[in-house]
Amino acid sequence: MRNKLVGGNWKMNGGLAANAALLVALSAGWKARPDRQIAVCVPFPYLAQARDVLADTPIAWGAQDLSAHAAGAYTGDVSGGMIVEFGCRYVLAGHSERRQHHGESDAVVAAKTKAALASGLRPIACVGETLAEREAGQWQSVVGRQFETVAEALGRDLPLITLAYEPVWAIGTGRTATPEQAQEVHAFLRERLVRKGAEGVLVLYGGSVKAANASALFAQRDVDGALVGGASLVATEFLGIANA
Ligand code: 13P
């Protein structure tokens, strides 16, 4: 049985006062469990705040993106080395909103995943098809291509990452994949991971996860946790998911 990981992706939400209330509520409400880790991925300016509040708690923190480069003339970008200085354990790579709004290709996502490992971070590499791709019967080819690009770039380091399957049509739409739909894709990814000797990699599900639907998703054999957007901004919801 693999342990579970529940990550909150705050996206571009928050502010010092709201974050303080949320982080304090999470640290008060979360009791360490040997089978489960929780983490929050916050906007860059709040990494120090997350560190200051969460340092002596069992809650990990991380960032939502990083540069594929270590340093240099990349205005506005943030390197893995900078992120790690703030005590981060995790960083997201290739979230669909980065792919969509910033044109991140599979190759860029793979390079970012690699850069995260090189910095000592644990990357959570995101894959997932759009609604049009699902309706055209293309989820296997899309998710397979996204996964294989990362796997190829990492080679023997593949076991060191976490994957998140986030169908684009389920993100922020209230339309969660059914537990069976999620399981089908997770099993597809699991099979590829096993073939590459990376059976220990956790595969999280993301897309309209709430306290009310988390248990049914987590009951699926290959769903190893969740990456939570909107519901991670409400302490009771996020803790409800974390305890599901
Ligand atoms: P929602 O939970 O808001 O659908 O977002 C999912 C997501 O994108 C997490 O990374």
Side-chain angles (χ1 to χ4, degrees):
M1 188 73 180
R2 289 175 298 275
N3 286 344
K4 285 203 164 34
L5 170 63
V6 175
N9 172 10
W10 289 7
K11 308 194 178 184
M12 199 175 72
N13 293 295
L16 289 171
N19 303 345
L22 177 53
L23 291 168
V24 166
L26 292 179
S27 43
W30 178 247
K31 303 279 167 282
R33 287 175 56 161
D35 61 332
R36 225 163 249 221
Q37 163 93 81
I38 74 169
V40 290
C41 293
V42 308
F44 291 130
Y46 303 131
L47 290 176
Q49 186 185 23
R51 175 197 58 198
D52 291 348
V53 180
L54 300 177
D56 295 318
T57 76
I59 304 174
W61 60 97
Q64 300 170 10
D65 180 40
L66 79 163
S67 172
H69 306 283
Y74 302 102
T75 302
D77 286 353
V78 174
S79 72
M82 295 171 182
I83 294 168
V84 92
E85 283 196 312
F86 287 88
C88 292
R89 182 175 306 169
Y90 296 102
V91 65
L92 307 183
H95 190 281
S96 64
E97 288 150 16
R98 301 291 316 172
R99 294 178 188 261
Q100 189 184 340
H101 304 305
H102 299 271
E104 291 188 9
S105 64
D106 295 336
V108 165
V109 174
K112 288 187 170 195
T113 307
K114 214 171 157 169
L117 284 178
S119 304
L121 293 161
R122 300 190 196 182
I124 301 177
C126 305
V127 299
E129 81 287 1
T130 63
L131 183 60
E133 288 162 342
R134 175 158 280 262
E135 286 177 342
Q138 292 169 348
W139 72 258
Q140 286 97 334
S141 62
V142 172
V143 172
R145 187 200 71 223
Q146 292 172 336
F147 168 76
E148 292 296 339
T149 310
V150 169
E152 198 170 305
L154 294 187
R156 288 203 302 196
D157 286 339
L158 181 63
L160 303 177
I161 74 165
T162 297
L163 281 177
Y165 168 57
E166 299 209 316
V168 178
W169 47 273
I171 295 177
T173 58
R175 182 178 165 188
T176 326
T178 64
E180 294 73 26
Q181 282 173 320
Q183 170 57 27
E184 187 181 24
V185 182
H186 283 235
F188 169 86
L189 288 167
R190 171 76 41 216
E191 199 248 318
R192 290 179 178 232
L193 285 166
V194 169
R195 251 194 277 146
K196 295 180 195 298
E199 53 278 350
V201 167
L202 301 185
V203 185
L204 315 182
Y205 168 79
S208 298
V209 177
K210 302 184 262 302
N213 59 25
S215 296
L217 288 159
F218 293 174
Q220 300 300 313
R221 206 187 137 138
D222 295 302
V223 176
D224 305 319
L227 191 55
V228 185
S232 73
L233 300 171
V234 181
T236 49
E237 270 295 307
F238 189 60
L239 291 169
I241 296 165
N243 282 310

